[in-house]
Amino acid sequence: MSASTSTHIRTCPLCEATCGLELTLDDQGEVTVIRGDREDVFSKGFVCPKGTTLHRLHTDPDRLRAPMVRRPSAEGGSELVEATWEEAFATVADGLARVVETHGRDALAVYLGNPSAHGHHGVLFGRPLVKALGTRNVFSASTVDQMPKHVSAGLMFGNALTIPVPDLDRTDHLLVLGANPWESNGSLCTAPDFPGRIEAIRARGGRVVVVDPRRTRTAEHADEHVRIRPGTDAMLLVAMANVLLAEGLADPGPAGEWMEGLDDLAAALAPFTPQAVSAPTGVDAGTIARLARDIAAAPSAAVYGRIGTTTVEFGTIASWAVDVLNALTGNLDRPGGAMWPSPAHVKARSAPGGRGYSLGRWSSRASGRPEANGELPVAVLAEEILTPGKGRVRALVTVAGNPVLSTPQSARLDAALAELDFMVCVDPALNETTRHADVILPPPSQLSKSQYDLAFYALAVRNIANWSPPLYEPEGPSEVEILARLALIASGLGPDADPQAVYDLVVDTLLSDATTKGDAPLAGRDVEELKGMLTAEDPADRALEVMIRSGQHGDHFGARPDGLTFERLVESPHGIDLGPLVPQLPDIISTPSGRVELAPAPIVADLGRLAAALDAEPPAMVLVGRRHLRSNNSWMHNVEVLVKGRDRCTLQVHPDDAGRLGLESGGSARVSSRVGSLEATVEVTDEVMPGVVSLPHGWGHSAPGTRMRVAAARPGVNSNVLTDAEVLDPLSGTAALNAIPVTLEPA
Ligand code: SF4
C-alpha cells in the first residue's frame, strides 16, 4: 500500500453471511478496491461479487441525498421534488396527523423491508416507530420469506427467535432442501463462505444431499441431488419422520429427556408413508426411506430447509418437520447437528420454561388472516388499502424494502399504493414502491453508519461479535435520527421534538430489562449509574453496548472483568470469535412446559390440510424462483458491474416442455397465473425438471417515475405479478412465492 492510501475494515451488510471486508481508500478518502478481510475471524478473506461493490451503493448518483416531497406539478398533477429536512418532517407531521384525526390509528400501516434488518440501527430504532404508530397493521418482508420458521420455532421451542442452525463445520451429513447457498450464501444460517463449508463436509468424508426441483449450483456440488415437485417438501419431510418412527430408528438421544409429544407425533404422521407421498412429491418411496435412514445412520447430521420450503402453502409444516427430523435423529442440540447460537447481545437463561408462543391474537380486517409475530401477512396489504370500511388503511410508512416488486400480486399493490391518502418512505432509492410516496426520507449510505449484525449473529454457525465504525460522515440526519423523529411525529409530538427522547427511551428500556426482567443479569444495579458507564456515543451503539455488556458473554458492567465490552469490540476490527456452538438444552426452551414440543397443536391440526393435498391433482406447470450470486432480491440492480452481461431475468424451461410448447431459447413466452400474466425471455435448460419453470424475483424495473437508471436499462420482468395473494401458508401468513400454477405459450 502506498503512503497515500489507507484501509478500512468493516462487515458487509448486504446479505446474511456477514463477511469481513477490507476497503482501500485513496488520499481523497474514496474507496478504490474492496477485498475480503483475510484476518476476519469468521469469513477469513471470503468475499462475493456483491461485497466488492459496496462502495458503489455509496457513490451511486441515483442514491437520494436529500428528502423528496410531493408537490403540484406544472402539468396539473404532482411530482416528487427535493426539499429540506425541515420541510420533509413538517409534511410528514401534517400528513399523518390528517389521517389519524380523520380515520384513527387503525388507518395507519407500516412495512419493514429486509435491508432494515441488516444492522443494529434499523433493528433497534424501527421498534419505537412501530410502537408509536399504534396500529396493528404491521407488515414486513418476513411474510414473503422466513415467517414459517419463526412460527415453528415459537411453537416448538417457545420463542420465535430460537431457531436452530446446521452446525456446518462439524456435521457429517447435511441435507439441504429448497436452499441454494452457492448463490445466496445462506439464510437463517449465517456462514460466510457457505460453499467452502459445504466442500469441507465432503472433504472430511461427510455427505451432502440437496433436495430441489432445480439442479442448482449447490446441487451440482453435492453427493446427491433429489428432484422434488415444488411445494411438496413438507410431504417428503413428514414421510421421512414417519419412516424413522415406523422402523424404530427414532432416537432423540440425551435431548430426548427434554422433549414432549413423541406419541402424538407418531399418530399425526401415520398417514404420511413414503408410498403415500411418492406421487405428489415425485420422489420414489425407496429414496424417501433411504434419505431418512441415512440421516439416522450418520454419526451426526443436520437437516436445513430454506426459501423453497418456507414460501409455499405448507411452509410452517415443512419448517417444523425439519426440526422434527433433527430431533428424532438425536441431532438437535448436539455438535454436528442443529444447534442454537449464543449471540453476544442476548442475555443468558438459567432455567427452562416461559410464557411460550402465541399466534392468531388478531386478524386482518378484510379477509380475517391471523397475525404471526405481531404482523399481518403482507399479501393482504393491498386489500387493506382497497377495501372500504372502518379501519381501511389510508396512510403507509415504509422502512426500506420494495414491496411492489417483492410481494404477491404486485400489480394490485402498485395500484393500491396510488390510492393512499399519505405515504412516507425511509429509503435511499426512488424505486417502484417509493415513487408513490408523498415524502421520501433517505438515510445515509451503509458506509456512513456503524455495523453490527444483531439479527444474523443470532443465526450464525459460530458465536461471533464484530462491530465496524462508520467510514464517512452522514450527509444528513442518521437513519436512527430519521426513525426517532418519525416515532415522535407518530406519537403526536410534532416535527421539532428532540430525538434524544427516543434515544434515551431505547437505552432506558434495555437497562430496565437487564436489571429487572426474568434472569436479569444486572439485578439490583442502578440504571443511572449503568448509563454513566456507557462508552459509546452514537445512539444505536449505546443501545448495542447495553445489550453486549448485559449479554451472555458480557462484562455485566464490571461484574465480570473478563467479559465482553464495547471497547473490546472497537479494538477488534476483525471480530471476536466466541467459539463454536454449545449445547443449550434445557435452559433455552421457553415453552410453558419447559420442554421441546414435538407435536404443537396448531401444526398437528394443519396436517389434515397436508393429507388432503396428497390426493389433489397437481398442476401441469408450476413456477419457482431462483437466486443469483450477483443479485439480492430487488436491491442490487442499480450497480452496473453486477447487472452487466448476459440477461439473467430469463424464464427457465425444461427441453421437454419447450419442445411440446414450441418454445426456444431467446424467444419469448407468455406466462399466466390465476392473477396475472407477463412475457419473459425463454432459456431452455434441463436445470429445471419437466413441469417446472423458473424466474428470479426482484426484477421488473420498468415503472415510470423511478430514478434507478442502471436498473431501468435492464428492467427484466416482475415475477410477483404472477404470485397469488390468496394462496398463503395459513399459520404464518407467508405467501406462496414458489410452486405457483401457471400456463405457458409462445408470445
Ligand atoms: S456473501 Fe454476502 S456478506 Fe459476504 S461479501 Fe457477499 S454480499 Fe457481502
Side-chain angles (χ1 to χ4, degrees):
M1 192 180 17
S2 82
S4 57
T5 64
S6 58
T7 56
H8 169 81
I9 303 295
R10 71 181 297 110
T11 307
C12 178
L14 297 177
C15 87
E16 299 181 36
T18 71
C19 300
L21 303 178
E22 181 190 284
L23 289 68
T24 303
L25 282 69
D26 65 17
D27 56 2
Q28 302 297 306
E30 301 290 329
V31 178
T32 54
V33 180
I34 299 182
R35 299 187 186 84
D37 173 18
R38 275 177 290 205
E39 292 180 58
D40 186 277
V41 296
F42 199 17
S43 59
K44 300 183 179 358
F46 178 82
V47 69
C48 86
K50 294 190 291 290
T52 63
T53 64
L54 179 59
H55 59 308
R56 295 178 195 272
L57 297 177
H58 179 79
T59 56
D60 183 349
D62 288 342
R63 178 171 67 84
L64 303 181
R65 273 109 172 138
M68 304 203 78
V69 173
R70 188 166 296 283
R71 299 276 187 238
S73 68
E75 292 77 35
S78 69
E79 61 184 345
L80 283 164
V81 296
E82 275 196 13
T84 65
W85 284 96
E86 287 68 30
E87 286 171 323
F89 282 119
T91 308
V92 174
D94 284 350
L96 290 183
R98 238 183 310 117
V99 170
V100 171
E101 279 162 20
T102 313
H103 305 287
R105 287 195 174 266
D106 288 347
L108 303 179
V110 58
Y111 174 83
L112 305 169
N114 263 352
S116 56
H118 287 244
H120 59 303
H121 294 246
V123 171
L124 292 171
F125 284 84
R127 291 176 198 158
L129 170 59
V130 172
K131 200 158 185 213
L133 287 166
T135 175
R136 286 180 167 178
N137 294 314
V138 178
F139 304 91
S140 86
S142 294
T143 50
V144 283
D145 194 339
Q146 83 288 3
M147 189 63 90
K149 199 71 199 174
H150 288 308
V151 172
S152 71
L155 293 171
M156 289 182 85
F157 312 125
N159 184 330
L161 299 178
T162 307
I163 294 175
V165 299
D167 187 13
L168 287 185
D169 296 342
R170 291 182 289 188
T171 195
D172 297 290
H173 187 110
L174 181 68
L175 176 62
V176 179
L177 301 104
N180 185 10
W182 231 271
E183 304 281 5
S184 69
N185 271 296
S187 176
L188 296 186
C189 177
T190 292
D193 193 14
F194 206 127
R197 291 171 199 266
I198 285 184
E199 285 182 332
I201 296 171
R202 300 184 66 196
R204 60 177 179 262
R207 185 169 169 79
V208 177
V209 179
V210 170
V211 175
D212 204 295
R214 287 184 62 239
R215 190 181 65 246
T216 61
R217 284 180 72 201
T218 306
E220 283 172 352
H221 288 83
D223 293 282
E224 182 179 2
H225 173 209
V226 177
R227 301 261 199 191
I228 186 168
R229 191 165 285 140
T232 65
D233 301 77
M235 294 177 184
L236 175 91
L237 290 161
V238 295
M240 288 172 64
N242 183 322
V243 169
L244 297 174
L245 291 161
E247 297 187 2
L249 297 174
D251 178 8
E257 185 186 344
W258 303 104
M259 291 179 189
E260 193 76 36
L262 199 54
D263 292 343
D264 293 344
L265 182 70
L269 297 186
F272 301 98
T273 62
Q275 292 73 21
V277 309
S278 178
T281 58
V283 183
D284 72 75
T287 301
I288 295 170
R290 179 176 53 76
L291 290 174
R293 291 174 198 139
D294 284 353
I295 56 170
S300 68
V303 183
Y304 167 60
R306 200 45 196 101
I307 202 91
T309 65
T310 56
T311 54
V312 290
E313 278 186 83
F314 301 104
T316 300
I317 295 176
S319 298
W320 161 76
V322 162
D323 287 323
V324 166
L325 283 172
N326 287 323
L328 292 182
T329 51
N331 284 299
L332 185 65
D333 199 43
R334 81 159 168 191
M339 303 188 78
W340 290 284
S342 322
H345 62 276
V346 172
K347 297 192 281 287
R349 286 172 51 90
S350 61
R355 280 194 311 191
Y357 180 75
S358 304
L359 73 168
R361 292 165 296 177
W362 60 87
S363 301
S364 69
R365 179 184 61 101
S367 56
R369 297 285 190 177
E371 65 80 33
N373 269 19
E375 296 182 21
L376 294 172
V378 70
V380 307
L381 175 56
E383 71 181 20
E384 288 298 319
I385 296 170
L386 294 170
T387 307
K390 189 170 174 337
R392 178 181 183 180
V393 169
R394 303 307 318 157
L396 176 65
V397 180
T398 72
V399 181
N402 191 351
V404 164
L405 293 190
S406 57
T407 69
Q409 235 163 308
S410 301
R412 190 168 69 142
L413 181 61
D414 193 37
L417 296 185
E419 298 289 313
L420 287 167
D421 291 346
F422 187 73
M423 180 171 170
V424 53
C425 301
V426 181
D427 206 297
L430 178 48
N431 60 29
E432 294 74 17
T433 296
T434 61
R435 74 192 178 107
H436 292 289
D438 293 283
V439 180
I440 306 176
L441 305 169
S445 89
Q446 297 282 355
L447 294 180
S448 299
K449 63 178 181 179
S450 57
Q451 173 72 19
Y452 186 94
D453 276 290
L454 272 187
F456 303 132
Y457 290 144
L459 298 160
V461 298
R462 272 189 88 81
N463 293 314
I464 298 291
N466 197 341
W467 177 88
S468 316
L471 173 58
Y472 299 124
E473 282 293 312
E475 299 113 344
S478 67
E479 178 183 1
V480 159
E481 182 180 340
I482 294 170
L483 295 172
R485 291 183 70 176
L486 281 180
L488 292 163
I489 289 169
S491 305
L493 296 170
D496 302 318
D498 186 352
Q500 186 65 42
V502 179
Y503 308 159
D504 289 341
L505 176 74
V506 171
V507 166
D508 288 350
T509 305
L510 289 168
L511 281 172
S512 167
D513 286 355
T515 50
T516 58
K517 258 194 184 170
D519 295 313
L522 308 177
R525 304 283 293 271
D526 178 64
V527 167
E528 287 308 313
E529 182 203 337
L530 296 172
K531 259 163 98 171
M533 294 172 73
L534 294 174
T535 60
E537 291 179 5
D538 175 271
D541 290 341
R542 281 173 72 79
L544 175 67
E545 181 173 3
V546 175
M547 298 176 86
I548 294 288
R549 297 185 69 177
S550 57
Q552 53 199 309
H553 302 278
D555 80 327
H556 292 187
F557 288 79
R560 299 199 306 194
D562 294 336
L564 194 57
T565 61
F566 187 70
E567 284 164 318
R568 257 190 77 200
L569 280 180
V570 173
E571 290 161 3
S572 310
H574 309 290
I576 297 172
D577 183 359
L578 298 165
L581 308 189
V582 293
Q584 297 195 59
L585 282 174
D587 294 350
I588 193 160
I589 301 302
S590 47
T591 57
S593 65
R595 299 163 74 81
V596 173
E597 295 290 350
L598 289 176
I603 295 178
V604 169
D606 200 29
L607 285 172
R609 193 172 57 92
L610 189 69
L614 292 174
D615 299 323
E617 182 67 27
M621 183 76 74
V622 291
L623 176 72
V624 298
R626 68 176 186 270
R627 295 278 171 187
H628 194 282
L629 187 56
R630 290 174 174 268
S631 190
N632 188 357
N633 300 323
S634 63
W635 42 299
M636 299 297 285
H637 295 161
N638 210 46
V639 179
E640 179 75 36
V641 292
L642 292 179
V643 295
K644 70 181 182 187
R646 190 172 72 88
D647 179 14
R648 297 203 305 269
C649 189
T650 56
L651 181 77
Q652 293 188 333
V653 185
H654 189 271
D656 292 354
D657 294 321
R660 182 170 50 83
L661 295 165
L663 301 170
E664 53 187 43
S665 282
S668 201
R670 173 151 294 280
V671 194
S672 303
S673 72
R674 187 187 79 84
V675 297
S677 181
L678 56 80
E679 276 184 29
T681 304
V682 172
E683 176 189 351
V684 179
T685 171
D686 65 0
E687 274 181 34
V688 286
M689 60 193 277
V692 176
V693 290
S694 169
L695 196 59
H697 103 145
W699 295 86
H701 304 287
S702 52
T706 63
R707 192 203 290 174
M708 295 180 66
R709 284 166 286 194
V710 173
R714 294 178 184 79
V717 291
N718 178 5
S719 65
N720 283 316
V721 164
L722 303 169
T723 315
D724 192 335
E726 291 184 14
V727 182
L728 307 183
D729 169 41
L731 290 176
S732 69
T734 301
L737 266 53
N738 279 297
I740 303 166
V742 291
T743 57
L744 223 60
E745 59 186 343

